[in-house]
Amino acid sequence: MTEAGSPDRRRFLTAGAAMLGGVASAQLWLPAAARAAEAPLPEGVFSLGVASGDPLPDGIVLWTRLAPDPLNGGGMPDRAVPVEWQLAQDERFRKVVRKGTAMARPEYGHSVHVDVRGLSPDRRYWYRFRAGGQLSPTGRTRTAPRRDSFGGSLRVALASCQNWQHGWFTPYADMLDQDPDVVLFVGDYIYESAPSATTVRRHEGTGEPYTLVQYRNRYAQYRSDPDLAAMHAHAPFVVTFDDHEVDNDFAGEIPQDPDKQGHDAFVDRLTAAYQAYYEHMPVRATAVPNGPHIQMYRRLEFGRLARLNVLDTRQFRSDQATSQAGAQDPSMTMLGAEQKRWLLDGLHGSPARWNLIASQIMMAETDVRIGEGKLWYYDAWDGYQVERNGLLREFAHVRNPVVLSGDRHLTMISDLKKDFADPDSEVVGAEFVGTSISSNGDQDQDAFHAEWDPRKADNPHWKVIDAHRGYHLFDIHRDGIDARVRVVDTVTRPEATPSTLARLRVEAGRPGVHVV
Ligand SMILES: [Fe+2]
């Protein structure tokens, strides 16, 4: 936000103007006696904005967190505070259809999660909060279509990997203009790395977060990105976490460096990280953590058009392999037995035309060794060969499976093959690895292609590989999915020029993906 009059600047001012415009009507919410009894709060309780998530045909989660001093623990008094909320059919709140009061409690960082029900399917709504006489920005959201609806279309944005230090989250400004029905975020919402003096922007704090307050401050800093805040206020998100919400490359209760963090210390860290994650995400009460455990894998339905299976590929996985032979050990699991059964049940019993799988990490093979032999990344599905291959064999009997992934900080769009060891193997699905919002910053594209293009012959299933920052956009119809790779020219400044790098199509009933 450096130049007045830029699109981003305008967008932010509009949100502010809407907030000021609502003050007069907000005073009418409460009876006079209740207003008088309302204890004053520090100015700026809605500094983190608003969000919504996990749309149902009749419900939506509304979120905010009161934090007048966002980078220093929040700055709220140590007591529960009532927060009124309203949800309306119109932007001006003339037709309020649901309202209530939720408690923002200190033990949850004064976050508020309202699970509104009784709404109409496939409908746009506006919402806002009020606390201590202060009014939040207005958010916009949308419910899912009726469960039995056959027609229509769905626009989904796929995002991941937003490293504050690597750049501004400029792809979200374009995403907002593209107006998706829902944003799917598949991990690395924050990065746990220590502040660096040489990056585009600097992390708050003095080191990596370990405690609850430290993680809260980190999430609060990320939410201060103007384009991310505006996107949250514009459309519902469906989120899942990957490793950097806790610790790079962790697996279950095993940290990246067990020598540096003992088991008990890492369990404390997981507990703090999951709690802060819940506090900052628009998710249902099913995701309230129980110590070092959080329930994140879940299904969302978009009529008979699409079923979205959101995976958790961190909590239940075996520790990463360290060799090609280790990656082929049949005892290695990515999902754990229970989640794997849940996924297969949901795929085989699905009434949906499209069966989407949100996987934090890439499922298609990445063979990084040029020529004879293979070399895989062991943190991705390649490191869990037997379970991955079993899943791909099942895909042959699933209606239109499409995997949506992150982690790689690259666009990698692939056919999914039943057996990557056999070049003539049957294609059973498609995968989109949705680059990154900012992680890895502005990459040298020539250097990327010089390094990666020679590997294409070893990975004939790759359809597009690219190193621009951005996200993927999907228009899902009954007969096919039209996908666009949307990229920006830079994340080193708060404003960027977006463009479409590639267009792809997945045809219903014909597994695989092709460049248009
Ligand atoms: Fe990442």
Side-chain angles (χ1 to χ4, degrees):
M1 283 207 327
T2 49
E3 293 169 46
S6 72
D8 290 345
R9 175 84 182 153
R10 271 202 309 278
R11 182 173 304 115
F12 209 58
L13 288 176
T14 305
M19 185 170 79
L20 292 175
V23 168
S25 59
Q27 286 168 354
L28 302 175
W29 285 19
L30 278 182
R35 278 206 304 278
E38 215 176 41
L41 294 171
E43 275 307 306
V45 290
F46 292 109
S47 67
L48 302 183
V50 299
S52 68
D54 278 19
L56 302 175
D58 67 338
I60 193 81
V61 177
L62 308 181
W63 174 94
T64 192
R65 179 183 161 226
L66 308 183
D69 191 4
L71 300 189
N72 294 293
M76 284 291 289
D78 189 24
R79 60 179 165 83
V81 170
V83 180
E84 294 166 275
W85 58 271
Q86 286 183 325
L87 182 127
Q89 287 177 0
D90 65 305
E91 203 168 353
R92 303 186 134 202
F93 291 88
R94 289 195 177 122
K95 288 184 191 161
V96 173
V97 291
R98 289 284 182 283
K99 60 182 177 176
T101 301
M103 295 306 285
R105 300 180 189 282
E107 56 268 35
Y108 287 105
H110 290 96
S111 62
V112 176
H113 297 75
V114 182
D115 193 353
V116 187
R117 299 296 176 105
L119 304 178
S120 302
D122 203 16
R123 169 152 211 160
R124 194 168 275 177
Y125 289 99
W126 284 261
Y127 61 95
R128 61 187 180 183
F129 301 90
R130 185 180 177 280
Q134 299 174 46
L135 191 66
S136 77
T138 292
R140 202 190 76 167
T141 191
R142 190 179 189 89
T143 49
R146 288 162 54 109
R147 273 185 205 281
D148 58 357
S149 70
F150 272 92
S153 65
L154 182 72
R155 177 170 282 194
V156 177
L158 169 66
S160 64
C161 295
Q162 47 193 30
N163 191 319
W164 176 271
Q165 300 203 123
H166 290 185
W168 293 76
F169 303 158
T170 55
Y172 282 121
D174 175 63
M175 190 190 289
L176 192 144
D177 289 341
Q178 299 297 332
D179 201 13
D181 296 313
V182 62
V183 180
L184 175 61
F185 192 93
V186 294
D188 292 355
Y189 192 95
I190 59 161
Y191 281 75
E192 85 288 18
S193 46
S196 162
T198 58
T199 48
V200 177
R201 297 192 286 185
R202 189 177 183 152
H203 272 150
E204 55 68 48
T206 54
E208 291 192 16
Y210 290 89
T211 67
L212 178 55
V213 169
Q214 288 169 340
Y215 277 107
R216 282 175 179 161
N217 292 344
R218 188 58 61 88
Y219 278 99
Q221 180 179 41
Y222 275 60
R223 278 292 168 82
S224 72
D225 181 277
D227 291 320
L228 175 61
M231 196 61 228
H232 270 299
H234 190 77
F237 275 52
V238 172
V239 299
T240 184
F241 61 86
D242 194 21
D243 53 341
H244 288 286
E245 284 86 348
V246 183
D247 180 34
N248 184 41
D249 281 358
F250 81 97
E253 294 186 357
I254 304 165
Q256 180 183 28
D257 302 308
D259 301 341
K260 287 191 201 155
Q261 291 172 78
H263 178 262
D264 291 355
F266 190 65
V267 167
D268 288 347
R269 190 180 195 183
L270 281 171
T271 303
Y274 289 154
Q275 163 120 10
Y277 187 76
Y278 168 74
E279 288 175 357
H280 290 84
M281 294 297 141
V283 289
R284 297 211 146 73
T286 48
V288 173
N290 174 19
H293 308 286
I294 184 169
Q295 177 62 43
M296 198 45 55
Y297 69 81
R298 62 202 188 281
R299 259 193 276 285
L300 290 131
E301 313 280 352
F302 296 88
R304 295 283 183 92
L305 183 63
R307 165 173 278 190
L308 173 61
N309 301 277
V310 181
L311 300 187
D312 175 345
T313 58
R314 282 290 153 196
Q315 281 191 94
F316 310 105
R317 66 156 74 194
S318 316
D319 198 13
Q320 289 90 345
T322 52
S323 66
Q324 292 295 104
Q328 296 171 78
D329 181 335
S331 73
M332 293 285 286
T333 182
M334 178 67 88
L335 300 176
E338 205 174 303
Q339 182 179 196
K340 188 178 160 191
R341 205 162 36 239
W342 166 88
L343 176 61
L344 291 176
D345 286 351
L347 290 174
H348 291 306
S350 173
R353 169 63 62 117
W354 296 96
N355 287 286
L356 311 177
I357 298 158
S359 167
Q360 288 84 342
I361 36 85
M362 184 164 168
M363 191 172 283
E365 181 171 85
T366 303
D367 173 13
V368 292
R369 175 167 293 153
I370 295 164
E372 258 323 270
K374 288 180 187 285
L375 183 62
W376 299 312
Y377 290 131
Y378 303 130
D379 186 59
W381 278 97
D382 273 341
Y384 299 76
Q385 287 276 318
V386 174
E387 188 165 297
R388 193 270 312 273
N389 295 348
L391 207 50
L392 290 174
R393 282 195 298 275
E394 298 283 347
F395 278 10
H397 312 290
V398 173
R399 201 185 301 164
N400 299 312
V402 176
V403 179
L404 307 174
S405 316
D407 175 58
R408 195 52 66 81
H409 306 173
L410 297 171
T411 284
M412 299 187 90
I413 301 171
S414 305
D415 284 343
L416 290 172
K417 290 188 161 180
K418 206 170 182 176
D419 179 7
F420 285 107
D422 171 10
D424 300 320
S425 175
E426 184 188 347
V427 175
V428 293
E431 180 180 43
F432 293 81
V433 179
T435 186
S436 70
I437 291 291
S438 70
S439 302
N440 284 28
D442 292 351
Q443 265 182 268
D444 179 335
Q445 304 298 319
D446 292 339
F448 165 76
H449 284 290
E451 182 186 353
W452 283 79
D453 285 0
R455 293 172 176 150
K456 284 181 175 174
D458 296 82
N459 297 274
H461 48 280
W462 291 349
K463 298 299 178 75
V464 176
I465 57 169
D466 182 80
H468 283 85
R469 305 288 70 90
Y471 68 99
H472 294 185
L473 194 66
F474 305 94
D475 286 312
I476 304 174
H477 309 278
R478 279 192 71 72
D479 64 342
I481 297 180
D482 293 306
R484 281 181 284 160
V485 178
R486 293 290 294 175
V487 299
V488 292
D489 61 338
T490 185
V491 292
T492 61
R493 299 188 305 271
E495 279 111 29
T497 304
S499 60
T500 295
L501 180 106
R503 290 173 187 272
L504 299 105
R505 169 96 176 165
V506 183
E507 220 50 71
R510 239 185 289 161
V513 52
H514 58 268
V515 178
V516 177

